[in-house]
Amino acid sequence: MDDPSVNWSEERYNEIKNELSRMLRIVGYKVDKIPFVPVSGWTGDNLISPSDKMPWYKGPTLLEALDLFEVPPKPIDKPLRIPIQDVYSITGVGTVPVGRVETGVLKEGDKVIFMPANKQGEVKSI
């Protein structure tokens, strides 16, 4: 928005917004849930507080738009899946696999099976 050729123009904002909306719709996004925020990272306009250079824009600032995102529900009703990223051997503790719980729920004391090796183990701590 701060480029001299744009000069904080509402017309240029609408042009970019329409083009991005079209492309995002093609790949499956729900465009009506996406806030389009005109900002200037160079001067900081509309990042934290509304900009006086864009009186035509009445929507949220970038920081406010980030707070509006809806967190998707966690898939805790599905089977446990943890892609293992690394395995550590810690003296006095033992073998410690490291990964992120993608689906399901993991608790201390749970019995787990590592695939494709079909090795069993027990969750001692998280």
Side-chain angles (χ1 to χ4, degrees), residues 26-97:
I26 289 171
V27 296
Y29 283 92
K30 294 177 182 164
V31 180
D32 54 329
K33 293 189 173 197
I34 300 174
F36 290 90
V37 183
V39 299
S40 168
W42 186 259
T43 61
D45 285 274
N46 225 18
L47 292 175
I48 297 173
S49 58
S51 173
D52 58 349
K53 297 173 185 161
M54 296 177 278
W56 48 265
Y57 179 72
K58 305 295 184 212
T61 63
L62 183 62
L63 188 61
E64 293 166 347
L66 291 174
D67 288 337
L68 295 175
F69 280 133
E70 296 175 12
V71 178
K74 298 187 186 310
I76 59 173
D77 57 334
K78 299 191 177 190
L80 177 65
R81 300 214 187 271
I82 307 175
I84 301 298
Q85 297 166 341
D86 208 344
V87 179
Y88 298 105
S89 292
I90 301 175
T91 306
V93 175
T95 304
V96 180

Side-chain angles (χ1 to χ4, degrees), residues 7 15-16 21 25 31 45 53 98-100 103-104 108 123:
N7 197 26
E15 180 184 336
I16 297 298
S21 297
R25 208 174 282 112
V31 180
D45 285 274
K53 297 173 185 161
V98 178
R100 176 180 152 171
T103 62
E108 290 182 11
V123 179

